[in-house]
Amino acid sequence: MKKKSASCRIIVLVMSVCFARTAFSQADPDTLAFDRYLQISRMIVQRALTDTAGYHLLRGLCRIGPRLVGSDNSMKAILWAKKTMENLGFDNVTLQPVQVPRWIRGDVESAEILRSPAMPGRELSVAALGGSIPTPAEGIEAEVVEVPGMDSIEMLADKIAGKIVFFNEPMDPGRTETFSAYGRAVAQRVRGPSEAAKAGAVGVIVRSVTTKYDNVPHVGTLIYADSLPRIPAAAIGLRDADALHETLKKNPRARVRLTLSCRNAPDTLSYNLFCEITGREKPEEVVVVGGHFDSWDKGHGAHDDGAGCLQALEVLSLLKRLAIQPRRTIRSVFFINEEFGLNGAVEYGRWAQSGREKHIAAVEADRGALTPRGFSVGSNPAVLEKMQSWLPFLSSALIEWIRKGGGGADIAQIKNVQAYIGYVPDVQRYFDFHHSDNDVFSAVHPREFELGAAAMTILAYLISEEGL
Amino acid sequence: MKKKSASCRIIVLVMSVCFARTAFSQADPDTLAFDRYLQISRMIVQRALTDTAGYHLLRGLCRIGPRLVGSDNSMKAILWAKKTMENLGFDNVTLQPVQVPRWIRGDVESAEILRSPAMPGRELSVAALGGSIPTPAEGIEAEVVEVPGMDSIEMLADKIAGKIVFFNEPMDPGRTETFSAYGRAVAQRVRGPSEAAKAGAVGVIVRSVTTKYDNVPHVGTLIYADSLPRIPAAAIGLRDADALHETLKKNPRARVRLTLSCRNAPDTLSYNLFCEITGREKPEEVVVVGGHFDSWDKGHGAHDDGAGCLQALEVLSLLKRLAIQPRRTIRSVFFINEEFGLNGAVEYGRWAQSGREKHIAAVEADRGALTPRGFSVGSNPAVLEKMQSWLPFLSSALIEWIRKGGGGADIAQIKNVQAYIGYVPDVQRYFDFHHSDNDVFSAVHPREFELGAAAMTILAYLISEEGL
């Protein structure tokens, strides 16, 4: 039985290559298409790794600083990117106006365990969650109730009135898939403040949702329930989360003062930004490759998602450097405001539907710029299978697999696309950086960044040539 | 045709799982073996990622400092490791005496571009290559001939007499496979000094073989040809290699002084070190998992190969923490002196052959401790195929593939093993660290280290249970 399995697998391996060749000779008058694609894909990888041009652009972007949506810095970065696209000579460089919310961190964010007869005081490393209301100028001062996770809040509800709730659920380290561990732990950050308010809490401190054990707070958005009072909320670094936990064990009545000067400001104008290489035969059929250009106001927003945007731009740049004009239009889109509500993606989606263009595929890069692993695809099975037949061309960019799965939050707003494609790199380190001062340019590796860009270039190019 | 290919692939996927199940129910009286293996492998991964115990041991090892073979520090580390193995309660903790060469870097290693009427002087960041003879105490001072790579030295031979040869071939950044780029560029370091001596050179400076653009010299061994004069040789950091290149463009007669106080000392005694969990049914059949315990005397020797050794030890430790006694003996071996001539591996191989034990498989971890990608296996096709049927158990440790290929330099010295297995992590960053002050504990990521250890644990466990 085992022998049979093996022979069968070998036959299939051989057959897949044969079928792949057949597919190409059917789709392309040139029967050498398979070999040509192999050659082109290797050229793309080699060029990316040798020039590392996109990586160097990322350095320029990171020098501007982080790009919180609606901020002056964000506008500076958008204009830098527009100029960069123009300098690179791409077609149809477009700023697309988008109304966006604006939240301002302000100058003050601090927390301290107050000195008591039993305990010395202690500063805590905190940062306001995105969207949080401020505290009064003098802060809020209260006892603290530690809640080990969202599941426990109902049980502790009668202890919470008038207190600061300290959500302290760690990301589960035992899961290989860091995104899945993030997905679970992040509930306390997103919904925790309103859950706490429901039970009468006056403020919230949330254990940072991160894989890195240091003292850097990792921020991110909260969502206030409309029906409940809004209370101020901040993330706390892991060392201080553990220190607060220890303090509360020794002195359950320990008091904390939390002071945040953040505030919501009126909506403002921002922009999606895109450019393209117009298709040589089917210019009205579009393959989108994109990331979101806004970031949190911590670090440089390097992995999240400056890298994704500049990888998307590197897709066009690599084709241009190799003098390849694709059959269909390939467009690099920098969506604005993924972090605070997807306004840019919604606007792009609306615009895409209103025009004469047909969007056939969309690739999103928003999981960091570490070494490539695969692509996750939302499509019908035939399209998925067609893309899987291209794996031989993607292996030099270290793509191991193409699997059924989700594409990404931004591209999901474009309707009727045949394939929603998520670029999936290695993500073991991603949450070390995510939404924090750790997300700086030096955390991005040039080879890893460029292999990702090359993988997306090869995929976008093949879709453009072969259709789906 | 394409449709057929797809259905066929789906059928095969289903069939592989079925065959894998059948294989296990044949080999094990328990027909639930497949599910049990799946469960055990997930427990291994979860435990590794949660405890990160091996990673914390690596911190302890790195605190001792680097472990150049024959050095006092190396001996200190061996005794630390022996005690660690004993504390963890493994069976048969054994020091195996090995005669090893000893080379001492000494206190002085420096190079400078000498001041001339045309040029200012400049210090260069250099480090003696392993095995290099010293210069005279006052250094050697000579003009410099730049040689762009080993291929060019014959062409330039008539210009070299009395000069310092500066080999300046970079690692080819365009290759996805960093080990292949390393393999090509490292020739100038290993054989360059004797090739230069053949043409009458008095000294050699070699561009560091690294992917990281900084000024840290990356060392490694040279091999002097017996028939040729030995001349001193040093690696130079990349920024200074480029500065030297620029200097020589402007002033081809620029002179450099190279001063090295390194020396070869008499052979000395060192040790292989190993320990095991004795097999519950076939204790005389052995699965080896190992790395080399010596390192270069730069950084901490963290990735190369402290991590490999402690991942091998973590294999035993994970089994013990999970109270799993394997069917066959699993042994963790720390080979001594991979970097300077494999004496430890040769000694272990000789000993392995002389005893009554049968080594059925050997796994080597010596490509850094970044995120797992696969295993590279030297075996007959049936054994390879059997191992490939285990991929479902390895995927939670992020093993994507098991391919025909080499195992590793150390385990290659063990004769008649059915499978020589190389652990293959992501290697895009590996040569940033390799043989340099960059190879420190903080360059190792706990999750990446532990996923590698988990992958090797699962594989060693399956071999132990199922045989090959």
Side-chain angles (χ1 to χ4, degrees), chain A residues 2 5-6 12 19 45 49 173 175-176 371-373 385 396 398 400-401 426 428-429 432 445 447-448, chain B residues 2 5-6 12 19 45 49 173 175-176 371-373 385 396 398 400-401 426 428-429 432 445 447-448:
Chain A
K2 274 184 280 172
S5 162
V12 165
F19 285 140
V45 171
L49 287 172
R175 298 186 189 210
T176 304
T371 304
R373 303 289 300 206
E385 184 209 328
S396 61
L398 293 178
E400 308 277 6
W401 44 260
D426 178 25
Q428 293 305 312
R429 297 183 181 215
D432 291 10
H445 193 272
R447 297 182 62 83
E448 297 173 357
Chain B
K2 276 182 280 172
S5 163
V12 165
F19 285 140
V45 170
L49 287 172
R175 298 184 190 212
T176 304
T371 305
R373 304 287 300 204
E385 183 210 330
S396 61
L398 293 178
E400 308 276 7
W401 44 260
D426 178 26
Q428 293 305 311
R429 297 183 181 214
D432 291 8
H445 193 272
R447 296 181 62 83
E448 296 173 357

Side-chain angles (χ1 to χ4, degrees), chain A residues 102-106 128-129 131-134 260-266:
Chain A
R102 187 163 186 206
W103 175 82
I104 296 163
R105 182 171 300 280
L129 294 183
S132 174
I133 62 160
L260 304 175
S261 69
C262 50
R263 64 191 170 89
N264 287 288

Side-chain angles (χ1 to χ4, degrees), chain A residues 84-324:
Chain A
T84 300
M85 289 176 175
E86 286 164 350
N87 290 345
L88 289 169
F90 298 127
D91 305 329
N92 191 22
V93 177
T94 303
L95 282 177
Q96 186 174 59
V98 183
Q99 206 66 14
V100 295
R102 187 163 186 206
W103 175 82
I104 296 163
R105 182 171 300 280
D107 297 329
V108 183
E109 48 189 6
S110 71
E112 55 184 320
I113 301 169
L114 297 175
R115 211 178 236 298
S116 74
M119 307 289 280
R122 181 185 170 127
E123 290 282 333
L124 299 171
S125 171
V126 297
L129 294 183
S132 174
I133 62 160
T135 64
E138 70 280 12
I140 48 174
E141 192 195 305
E143 285 182 18
V144 176
V145 178
E146 180 172 338
V147 175
M150 284 292 276
D151 298 344
S152 324
I153 190 154
E154 285 193 16
M155 220 167 59
L156 294 165
D158 60 344
K159 296 196 170 71
I160 286 172
K163 309 266 175 75
I164 291 172
V165 165
F166 167 39
F167 286 104
N168 196 24
E169 181 179 355
M171 266 180 83
D172 177 1
R175 298 186 189 210
T176 304
E177 296 301 331
T178 52
F179 271 84
S180 131
Y182 176 76
R184 190 182 156 78
V186 81
Q188 64 189 354
R189 191 198 78 205
V190 177
R191 298 186 294 107
S194 281
E195 288 295 317
K198 198 198 293 181
V202 295
V204 162
I205 292 175
V206 180
R207 185 182 183 89
S208 288
V209 187
T210 176
T211 38
K212 187 160 173 66
Y213 195 74
D214 59 15
N215 212 15
V216 175
H218 292 242
V219 299
T221 193
L222 57 73
I223 298 178
Y224 287 128
D226 285 337
S227 56
L228 291 164
R230 303 182 166 210
I231 58 174
I236 184 169
L238 263 47
R239 286 189 198 285
D240 280 353
D242 288 347
L244 183 54
H245 170 82
E246 289 304 317
T247 298
L248 294 169
K249 272 209 306 203
K250 287 183 209 141
N251 177 13
R253 306 211 49 190
R255 296 176 73 81
V256 162
R257 181 187 297 127
L258 175 67
T259 313
L260 304 175
S261 69
C262 50
R263 64 191 170 89
N264 287 288
D267 284 3
T268 182
L269 189 65
S270 190
Y271 300 89
N272 290 326
L273 175 60
F274 56 78
C275 62
E276 61 204 34
I277 299 180
T278 308
R280 67 175 193 277
E281 286 181 21
K282 302 190 169 191
E284 76 293 350
E285 296 193 12
V286 178
V287 180
V288 159
V289 187
H292 65 86
F293 202 57
D294 59 304
S295 75
W296 285 99
D297 56 342
K298 295 284 180 183
H300 300 149
H303 276 286
D304 187 16
D305 187 21
C309 288
L310 292 187
Q311 284 176 317
L313 193 62
E314 180 77 332
V315 168
L316 301 188
S317 173
L318 278 165
L319 294 175
K320 194 153 197 125
R321 271 134 68 198
L322 292 166
I324 295 170

